[in-house]
Amino acid sequence: MRYDIPKPLRQVSMVLDLNKCLGCQTCTIACKKLWNTDEGTDYSYWNSVETLPGRGFPAGVHDPATGGRTVEGGVRRGVVPNLDTAYGRAWTFNHEEARASAGAPDKIWIRPRETVKWGPNFDEDQGQGDYPKDNHYFYLPRLCNHCTHPACVDACPRAAIAKRREDGIVLVDQDRCHGYRFCVEACPYKKVYYDHVRQVSTKCIFCLPRIEEGVAPACARQCPGRLRFVGYRDDEQGPIWKLVEKWKVAIPLHPEYGLGPNVFYVPPMSPPKLDAEGRPTGEPRIPVSYLESLFGAAVHPALEALLAERARRRRGEASELMDLLIAYDWQQNFRLPPRQREVLG
Amino acid sequence: MNRKILLMSAPVAMQPGGYVPVAYADRTTPVTAAAEIAVEPGSGGWRVTLAWACPQPVRETVRETDRFADACAVFAPEAPESPWMTMGAQGLAVQGFLWRADRPGLWAIRAEGLGTMQRSAATGTQVSADWDNGRWRVVLSLPEWPALAAQRRVALAVWRGGAQERAGLKSVSAGWVDVA
Ligand code: SF4
Ligand code: SF4
């Protein structure tokens, strides 16, 4: 018995330009401090930023074996990630022991008490390739995609997850949730987290109290790279529509799962590989085949459009696309008319 | 009454949503093949004893994301027609008690169909649970239970956490069990 998931009146959306991400994790901390400081969510990051190529967060997230969808979009049994080997435990440290040894001849270094197996962005800046010929990496910030066909909604036997009618934000009703974790298992993006103390699922709420007041989510608003755009998908004057529909340079992550993500990425361009003599070859360092494994075939025309517009700008010609992506006026990255405004008396 | 009840795998095809029925379509044989049940009048209420084989118990789940606890439930129909297989139906509720190995007490449960179970603290109850030699033995000391007193029937369910059983992934009695 599949659920009938009604189409929302509007869909709020985010575009992230991967050419500009610094990997600074300001977004991660902005989100974590705002929403996820409870003991049972210590390990979880509604917003995470991972180095790719790499194993991601949780480890193996880009491996089709972990998600509850086949690459043809069918249902398959997914995996609930392990706290040690996939997420990484929120480690505790031997601060007292280290401090007590400060004056002693044998100093004890600060180290985690637990055996470290994995953690968020654990393979930071490792990437792939050989320096200086073709070494490469880029950062992939990830949050819940507030999917059009959410696997998490489909997976919950208690109908505790729903898509909001007003803006398509996908929310867990924690009063209904019994902590069965089918949603964690089914989401191929692994963006539902289990609060192991309160024993309920938790996930990104797209900062809905801010959205209702016309303020962008904390991850987007605090991003020093100015690479996040937020608005509604049907707003033809807004950045989302221009980047996704008009210029078609913003594309979803793992479209093969068929969930219809509403978070989109401008794929990373990369400098050329060098030949044996150290001369540029014209071939991008980040293999396009690798980008295709993440973003599907749409990455080819998206990269072509980006390169063509960049060349146009270099020739001194006007480019709406480049002006938009450069984000001269950062406030223009967000087009979110307030739906209601709370006035505190 | 002390009876051995053969259990069946709760049919996953009936589970709400599109995921569980497909992802767990292979769960056709019960993880727990049988359970013993004794339902006896106790002091002002009932004493229910459930016992079943469980080779590796799971008692602790805190600080883990992928661990599920062993559990069992016993429930009775509120109305003569309350269906057991679907945990009741709208207007035809079932109600009873749920024990989970990672919690100290019992939950009182009530449901009107799959996915509708409400849990609340079961006041006036006591539970003792022991795992020994590959078997769980759970003794529920219950207060007055009008549904059982009226209908004289119960159904039971057993979840093996080590096999990732939770929610509709469970071994259940193949119908109501009459209580003398
Ligand atoms: S990304 Fe995962 S958690 Fe978010 S809506 Fe899609 S399926 Fe649900
Ligand atoms: S805050 Fe912006 S630049 Fe920094 S990691 Fe997040 S998305 Fe990248």
Side-chain angles (χ1 to χ4, degrees):
Chain A
M1 182 180 70
R2 295 189 74 98
Y3 298 123
D4 182 23
I5 301 169
K7 194 173 181 301
L9 298 173
R10 298 190 85 185
Q11 178 66 55
V12 76
S13 176
M14 191 183 292
V15 169
L16 298 93
D17 180 358
L18 299 184
N19 295 284
K20 295 171 75 181
C21 180
L22 322 164
C24 66
Q25 306 282 0
T26 308
C27 48
T28 307
I29 301 306
C31 172
K32 183 91 177 141
K33 288 295 286 179
L34 192 55
W35 300 117
N36 264 308
T37 52
D38 286 356
E39 197 189 344
T41 58
D42 47 7
Y43 74 94
S44 74
Y45 293 88
W46 290 355
N47 182 103
S48 54
V49 184
E50 59 206 39
T51 301
L52 290 185
R55 292 187 64 207
F57 177 78
V61 63
H62 301 287
D63 175 352
T66 64
R69 284 290 184 280
T70 66
V71 291
E72 293 84 30
V75 170
R76 65 183 293 286
R77 194 184 308 173
V79 172
V80 180
N82 179 266
L83 191 49
D84 286 302
T85 58
Y87 293 117
R89 222 167 259 280
W91 309 307
T92 57
F93 292 87
N94 61 334
H95 290 120
E96 297 77 17
E97 193 189 17
R99 196 165 45 231
S101 79
D106 290 329
K107 295 201 185 358
I108 294 170
W109 295 100
I110 294 174
R111 59 172 174 269
R113 290 200 187 92
E114 299 81 6
T115 309
V116 172
K117 294 181 179 164
W118 195 253
N121 203 18
F122 200 70
D123 41 8
E124 179 173 11
D125 293 5
Q126 287 180 6
Q128 271 181 7
D130 295 318
Y131 175 82
K133 216 163 60 68
D134 63 354
N135 55 309
H136 60 273
Y137 64 78
F138 63 97
Y139 301 112
L140 182 71
R142 297 201 306 111
L143 61 152
C144 166
N145 295 294
H146 297 277
C147 302
T148 301
H149 313 289
C152 55
V153 173
D154 188 49
C156 180
R158 293 185 56 76
I161 312 182
K163 230 175 138 51
R164 287 222 304 188
R165 190 175 135 81
E166 310 91 293
D167 48 26
I169 294 175
V170 174
L171 294 176
V172 179
D173 178 347
Q174 294 185 333
D175 291 333
R176 282 197 66 80
C177 175
H178 278 187
Y180 297 145
R181 285 161 273 173
F182 292 116
C183 51
V184 180
E185 196 179 283
C187 171
Y189 302 95
K190 294 295 171 237
K191 278 296 172 189
V192 190
Y193 295 91
Y194 176 62
D195 180 329
H196 56 76
V197 172
R198 293 172 57 230
Q199 302 190 328
V200 287
S201 286
T202 78
K203 66 177 288 303
C204 164
I205 59 171
F206 213 81
C207 285
L208 71 88
R210 298 166 65 114
I211 292 289
E212 286 173 359
E213 299 219 4
V215 179
C219 59
R221 180 83 188 201
Q222 298 200 20
C223 172
R226 299 183 174 191
L227 60 98
R228 298 192 185 218
F229 299 83
V230 185
Y232 290 92
R233 288 203 54 187
D234 60 357
D235 176 7
E236 297 193 8
Q237 304 310 313
I240 304 295
W241 190 85
K242 285 180 183 162
L243 293 168
V244 175
E245 311 293 342
K246 182 177 178 189
W247 287 98
K248 297 188 174 17
V249 292
I251 52 182
L253 179 65
H254 293 306
E256 66 273 21
Y257 296 132
L259 304 187
N262 287 301
V263 170
F264 299 87
Y265 294 93
V266 178
M269 297 176 276
S270 53
K273 290 181 181 175
L274 304 180
D275 65 15
E277 278 74 45
R279 286 183 302 246
T281 62
E283 199 187 335
R285 275 169 187 256
I286 304 172
V288 179
S289 58
Y290 177 68
L291 294 177
E292 192 176 340
S293 77
L294 297 171
F295 301 108
V299 80
H300 296 280
L303 285 171
E304 281 161 23
L306 287 166
L307 291 167
E309 287 301 303
R310 191 173 68 174
R312 179 198 289 270
R313 201 77 168 83
R314 278 190 179 147
R315 292 194 300 268
E317 297 168 28
S319 168
E320 180 200 45
L321 177 60
M322 285 297 124
D323 286 353
L324 191 56
L325 291 175
I326 288 166
Y328 292 110
D329 180 359
W330 161 74
Q331 300 284 353
Q332 299 299 315
N333 282 26
F334 313 127
R335 238 174 91 92
L336 288 163
R339 285 207 303 270
Q340 63 198 50
R341 195 168 283 277
E342 193 172 333
V343 180
L344 300 175
Chain B
M1 175 190 133
N2 192 350
R3 288 174 57 179
K4 180 175 176 180
I5 308 289
L6 293 181
L7 303 182
M8 58 179 279
S9 188
V12 291
M14 294 167 44
Q15 290 299 312
Y19 175 75
V20 175
V22 180
Y24 288 91
D26 59 341
R27 297 243 168 157
T28 49
T29 49
V31 172
T32 305
E36 280 173 33
I37 183 168
V39 181
E40 300 151 301
S43 51
W46 298 87
R47 184 182 143 102
V48 177
T49 308
L50 290 168
W52 68 94
C54 175
Q56 283 191 314
V58 182
R59 300 185 180 91
E60 295 271 332
T61 57
V62 77
R63 307 221 161 278
E64 299 296 340
T65 46
D66 57 353
R67 197 176 289 176
F68 299 92
D70 295 330
C72 68
V74 58
F75 54 92
E78 274 188 12
E81 315 80 42
S82 297
W84 117 96
M85 174 72 84
T86 54
M87 295 287 289
Q90 203 172 9
L92 297 170
V94 298
Q95 52 154 279
F97 300 89
L98 170 64
W99 168 82
R100 223 173 64 185
D102 61 343
R103 301 183 74 251
L106 286 177
W107 269 310
I109 55 172
R110 187 171 187 276
E112 294 190 23
L114 292 173
T116 68
M117 190 221 285
Q118 302 289 325
R119 302 182 303 205
S120 56
T123 47
T125 66
Q126 285 186 329
V127 61
S128 72
D130 291 300
W131 183 87
D132 185 36
N133 204 15
R135 283 183 77 74
W136 274 114
R137 185 168 178 276
V138 181
V139 182
L140 288 64
S141 302
L142 307 174
E144 279 188 29
W145 186 356
L148 176 60
Q151 308 300 335
R152 313 295 289 188
R153 295 188 295 175
V154 292
L156 58 131
V158 172
W159 290 265
R160 187 182 295 174
Q164 306 268 299
E165 286 197 315
R166 72 278 198 196
L169 305 179
K170 59 190 172 185
S171 304
V172 294
S173 56
W176 294 114
V177 178
D178 289 330
V179 174

